[in-house]
Amino acid sequence: MRGTDPRVVLGLHRSRHERRLLIGALDLGVTALDTSSNYFDFRSHQMLARTAGDLLPKFTLSTKVGYFPGPDGAEHSLDPIRLHSAVEQAAKDLGREPDLVFLHNPEHSLREAAPHHHDLLAQACTALDAAAAKGLCAAWGVASWDPAPLLHLIDTTAPRPAALMVRAGLLVGARTLDAADALINAWCPGVGTVWGMTPFGGSTSAPVWDRIDPRVFLRNNSRLSRVQAAFRTAYHLPQVDSVAVGTDEPAHLSELVGALAGEVEMRTVQEYRNLLRARSRGQPD
């Protein structure tokens, strides 16, 4: 439930899936691991089981389904049978049932508004709920890169996700932040957990991080680095319980864990949100 202490989740997007990283994470007290069926060229689950199968019971483990290998690369599908089979395969390849399975970017197959898309989303949610009821995973959720297309497609009579994952951080635009808030309020009003992802927009070495100083969002901004301040602030853009972040370096992960000691000035965050909204008015999406 929202309001718990902030949590760091080690994400394996673009990761080399090295055993030393998982050991380093455990040494730091990071015990949540997030991957996806399509990471590492659709071999993430098998690679984890092969290189760190003995470590996986020490983590709470989440993964995602929705992308499948196709003749021209990855393809997306909300077909209930494919989704259910993907959860089954994930448990088999990992050697254990995931604690959480996210429906991965359902908006990918719901780009154009149409009456039947409402049913497609509801059927996909029902498929994951059935997989959880069958014991193939402990719970299910929805991970959305662009939540806006989902807002008018939610069926309140269909099963509700136990968790949501959305983009978080200073590089997320006003419309996406507002859409994420609306999705959270519609799907998880006061219950469930909310995760953030891509807190640095892809890289901490991007030029933008040399031009801004996120420490202005902290009450005591002298103790943390700019990277740490940006990470800590991401928990409030939008409000999330956990942030999944990818790295192959235990030292970088340690830096981010240290960022949790920072205290965010919420009034500054709200002023920033207001400025974002004002600037976005009249601009194209």
Side-chain angles (χ1 to χ4, degrees):
M1 183 172 291
R2 293 192 292 286
T4 59
D5 292 335
R7 182 181 67 153
V8 177
V9 179
L10 177 58
L12 297 182
H13 181 51
R14 299 176 182 168
S15 169
R16 295 190 294 268
H17 289 58
E18 294 178 344
R19 181 181 176 86
R20 70 179 183 93
L21 177 62
L22 272 63
I23 293 174
L26 290 172
D27 289 342
L28 291 168
V30 176
T31 58
L33 190 63
D34 179 65
T35 188
S36 179
S37 60
N38 62 309
Y39 290 176
F40 210 73
D41 294 327
F42 289 93
R43 293 183 292 115
S44 177
H45 296 158
Q46 297 96 320
M47 183 62 68
L48 278 174
R50 185 180 310 128
T51 63
D54 60 317
L55 300 178
L56 292 185
K58 300 179 180 181
F59 289 93
T60 57
L61 180 60
S62 58
T63 190
K64 310 176 194 72
V65 295
Y67 289 96
F68 301 88
D72 300 316
E75 62 183 29
H76 193 269
S77 176
L78 292 179
D79 178 79
I81 295 176
R82 295 186 78 180
L83 292 173
H84 192 278
S85 296
V87 180
E88 282 185 317
Q89 191 64 44
K92 178 180 178 181
D93 291 341
L94 287 165
R96 56 163 286 191
E97 292 77 18
D99 296 285
L100 180 62
V101 174
F102 287 103
L103 177 61
H104 201 177
N105 295 345
E107 67 274 12
H108 190 125
S109 291
L110 300 170
R111 289 295 181 189
E112 299 177 5
H116 73 283
H117 285 170
H118 180 279
D119 296 332
L120 284 177
L121 182 59
Q123 290 166 7
C125 291
T126 299
L128 290 192
D129 194 65
K134 191 176 178 180
L136 298 175
C137 58
W140 68 277
V142 174
S144 174
W145 184 262
D146 179 13
L150 303 180
L151 295 177
H152 302 295
L153 299 174
I154 295 174
D155 184 347
T156 56
T157 66
R160 289 176 177 261
L164 291 175
M165 180 186 286
V166 294
R167 279 186 287 162
L170 288 163
L171 299 187
V172 182
R175 290 183 178 86
T176 299
L177 286 173
D178 288 343
D181 283 337
L183 190 70
I184 292 165
N185 290 332
W187 238 338
C188 295
V191 296
T193 58
V194 184
W195 296 30
M197 59 178 165
T198 64
F200 301 108
S203 174
T204 57
S205 60
V208 65
W209 302 117
D210 293 326
R211 298 196 302 267
I212 65 173
D213 190 345
R215 288 175 290 193
V216 299
F217 292 94
L218 302 182
R219 291 177 183 170
N220 182 351
N221 61 21
S222 62
R223 296 179 294 118
L224 300 182
S225 68
R226 293 187 181 197
V227 167
Q228 287 178 311
F231 184 69
R232 187 65 185 90
T233 304
Y235 285 82
H236 299 280
L237 291 168
Q239 195 78 27
V240 300
D241 310 288
S242 306
V243 173
V245 62
T247 181
D248 274 321
E249 296 302 328
H252 179 47
L253 188 61
S254 177
E255 182 182 19
L256 300 182
V257 171
L260 299 186
E263 294 185 41
V264 175
E265 180 54 69
M266 292 308 301
R267 185 172 64 178
T268 306
V269 171
Q270 190 56 54
E271 290 173 352
Y272 175 74
R273 290 285 301 265
N274 292 337
L275 287 172
L276 277 183
R277 289 191 186 102
R279 185 177 180 182
S280 69
R281 292 190 186 104
Q283 293 185 358
D285 292 336

